[in-house]
Amino acid sequence: MPDRFDLPADFRWGAATAAYQIEGAADEDGRGPSVWDTFAARPGAVRDGHTGAVACDHYHRWPEDIALMQGLGLDGYRFSLAWPRIRPTGAGPVNPAGLAFYDRLVDALLGAGITPLPTLFHWDLPQALEDHGGWLNRDTAHRFADYTALVTDRLGDRVPTWITLNEPFVHTVFGYALGTHAPGRTLMFEALPAAHHQLLAHGLAASILHERGLEAMLSNNLTPVEPASQDPADLAAASAYDTLHNRLFTDPVLLGRYPDLSLLGVPDDIFGAVRPGDLDLIHTPGLDGLGLNFYNPTRVAAPTAPGLPFDLVDIPEAPHTAFGWPVVPDALTTLLLHLRDTYGKALPPLTITENGCSVDESTTPDQPRIDFMSAHLDALARATAEGIDVRGYYTWSLLDNFEWAEGYHQRFGLVHVDFATQHRTPKASYTWYRDLIAAHRLYRAR
Ligand code: FCB
């Protein structure tokens, strides 16, 4: 059976982070407020009132963090740019200090032999844009295009590949439908115009990147959906959930059309948001890569109460992470084969842009993370052995960080961060990943 040592010779090894989760320095050097600053300040929004105001203080400690990446032997580092650091009100004047920060970071990464893989938007929308409706306002897509142009003017000479958005599914559903993430809106299915406008933003940004000879990717959170039984009601519920979580965010980009949204009771024009020509803008036939953020499969049953057309149920036979997420590595192979079957030639090369798990701080060494990563990498190798083109793996995350509504409680890092002192301590999984990267290189070079 193929395993992680059989991954392709030019496979890229990486780690991922996001601006609001690690940078801190929320009020420094002209950064404007983001929706996450506002949301985290709301009593009860984030566990124990934690905020990203300091986070890992990466804004000041980035040289130490790059040294940690170098110690791992990473090929690539996925991080995100904070739009409110670069353009504090989202549309007004540019903040030179914000651009200068990423300029230094990119140069230092390149100097360390690490390819930067920036994400333009990882959920920290400038609050000033949210005050005008955020992603519910179509204009935000155009502001995102402007921001893409100005950032690539500065960094495009050194950074060849860009991820437009991170997980528009999670941002739409948690941020605008359920209200458990910023900006904390509870619109249920009426949140879906926010999805359309993010997809439009992706399409506009991808054209700008392509016009400039740069590569465009999109990172989606994808989950294989399994019906709780073969009962037709469970099958219909599973199909509705697959439409919402996976197809709504992938079909328009790869196929140029939305899936059948009537399964969700949503009109085809997504409450008037979809205008003529939009799908041509969103459709990105030349997408250079699809990023997959994979954590777990989802089991779905027929609804037991009126409201949503599905119920999400546990997978009791699987082990669970500290976050309570089921661990089913085979589901990654299933997902990759399913993507090939669904999209065929329209499927661009794939990269795992996030995969990892939270482990309780008291579990030392953090063997559950080593087991999680090795099992998922083996599952990935089984898919590449079937001919699926997967180019790299960016584990979530380099550092323990601000895990959104969970604050600092869920620790996903290869490196432990003591948030009182900012002291970084590599965990057992750091050493394991370093040794795996080195061994894979040696093994493939033979
Ligand atoms: C993903 C997010 C990432 C991180 C992981 C655990 O949904 O993209 O920022 O929080 O989950």
Side-chain angles (χ1 to χ4, degrees):
M1 187 111 98
D3 70 14
R4 53 198 177 274
F5 293 99
D6 299 307
L7 286 164
D10 54 357
F11 193 74
R12 301 187 75 78
W13 297 99
T17 63
Y20 190 74
Q21 296 180 272
I22 65 163
E23 284 181 4
D27 295 322
E28 276 181 61
D29 292 345
R31 177 186 178 277
S34 78
V35 292
W36 267 97
D37 298 283
T38 310
F39 183 76
R42 198 192 275 182
V46 175
R47 200 167 150 196
D48 289 339
H50 292 169
T51 77
V54 178
C56 306
D57 194 31
H58 172 77
Y59 188 73
H60 299 112
R61 294 171 194 263
W62 57 270
E64 182 181 352
D65 295 337
I66 292 181
L68 286 163
M69 296 174 212
Q70 249 185 317
L72 280 168
L74 295 187
D75 295 305
Y77 171 51
R78 174 178 179 234
F79 59 102
S80 78
L81 309 187
W83 186 349
R85 205 180 277 295
I86 291 172
R87 210 167 192 194
T89 59
V94 173
N95 175 30
L99 272 178
F101 170 67
Y102 296 109
D103 200 79
R104 288 194 296 275
L105 185 71
V106 160
D107 281 345
L109 286 166
L110 292 170
I114 299 166
T115 303
L117 180 60
T119 305
L120 287 158
F121 179 70
H122 199 126
W123 307 349
D124 48 354
L125 193 75
Q127 180 61 39
L129 292 182
E130 180 58 27
D131 295 343
H132 290 97
W135 288 109
L136 295 167
N137 181 348
R138 184 181 176 91
D139 188 57
T140 298
H142 294 287
R143 300 292 71 78
F144 182 73
D146 298 345
Y147 156 70
T148 302
L150 79 88
V151 166
T152 52
D153 275 349
R154 177 68 174 259
L155 302 174
D157 58 337
R158 283 155 290 156
V159 178
T161 307
W162 296 76
I163 297 171
T164 56
L165 306 177
N166 180 67
E167 299 187 354
F169 164 77
V170 176
H171 191 53
T172 303
V173 168
F174 289 13
Y176 287 85
L178 302 173
T180 51
H181 280 186
R185 313 274 309 247
T186 50
L187 297 168
M188 302 309 283
F189 283 119
E190 288 182 25
L192 292 188
H196 180 67
H197 296 145
Q198 284 174 81
L199 290 165
L200 187 60
H202 159 77
L204 295 170
S207 323
I208 291 171
L209 290 163
H210 285 159
E211 274 159 31
R212 294 166 181 226
L214 301 170
E215 292 191 342
M217 291 176 59
L218 167 71
S219 282
N220 273 346
N221 181 299
L222 295 176
T223 185
V225 176
E226 40 178 77
S229 78
Q230 291 306 307
D231 185 290
D234 286 340
L235 291 170
S239 174
Y241 190 72
D242 183 41
T243 300
L244 177 66
H245 193 129
N246 298 313
R247 302 196 58 174
L248 176 60
F249 296 90
T250 312
D251 287 15
V253 175
L254 299 185
L255 305 176
R257 57 172 186 264
Y258 276 112
D260 178 6
L261 299 176
S262 67
L263 299 176
L264 306 170
V266 171
D268 285 354
D269 69 351
I270 314 192
F271 307 106
V274 184
R275 297 196 189 161
D278 280 4
L279 280 157
D280 293 337
L281 294 171
I282 294 171
H283 187 199
T284 324
L287 192 69
D288 301 284
L290 181 65
L292 261 63
N293 294 357
F294 176 74
Y295 289 94
N296 52 257
T298 307
R299 186 169 292 173
V300 178
T304 47
L308 294 175
F310 47 73
D311 272 359
L312 305 187
V313 297
D314 190 24
I315 304 183
E317 67 275 23
H320 288 68
T321 70
F323 214 147
W325 297 353
V327 180
V328 188
D330 280 350
L332 178 56
T333 319
T334 309
L335 171 66
L336 293 162
L337 296 173
H338 176 74
L339 286 172
R340 181 177 64 182
D341 294 346
T342 308
Y343 297 107
K345 288 196 182 348
L347 189 67
L350 304 172
T351 294
I352 306 300
T353 43
E354 289 183 25
N355 176 248
C357 66
S358 72
V359 176
D360 197 87
E361 193 176 11
S362 59
T363 311
T364 45
D366 61 340
Q367 192 62 36
R369 190 182 333 274
I370 297 174
D371 295 345
F372 184 100
M373 289 173 69
S374 54
H376 283 80
L377 285 161
D378 289 348
L380 192 57
R382 292 197 289 278
T384 56
E386 295 281 327
I388 308 220
D389 185 2
V390 186
R391 307 246 165 124
Y393 176 89
Y394 292 72
T395 193
W396 186 271
S397 180
L398 177 70
L399 304 169
D400 289 341
N401 61 46
F402 176 79
E403 178 45 40
W404 310 115
E406 287 287 307
Y408 296 99
H409 291 289
Q410 303 297 340
R411 291 179 174 269
F412 279 87
L414 299 180
V415 175
H416 177 270
V417 177
D418 176 333
F419 292 103
T421 62
Q422 291 297 342
H423 188 71
R424 277 105 159 112
T425 311
K427 303 181 192 178
S429 52
Y430 176 99
T431 313
W432 173 85
Y433 195 43
R434 177 197 69 193
D435 293 349
L436 169 66
I437 294 171
H440 176 262
R441 283 201 185 112
L442 269 181
Y443 182 75
R444 301 306 313 185
R446 280 186 320 180

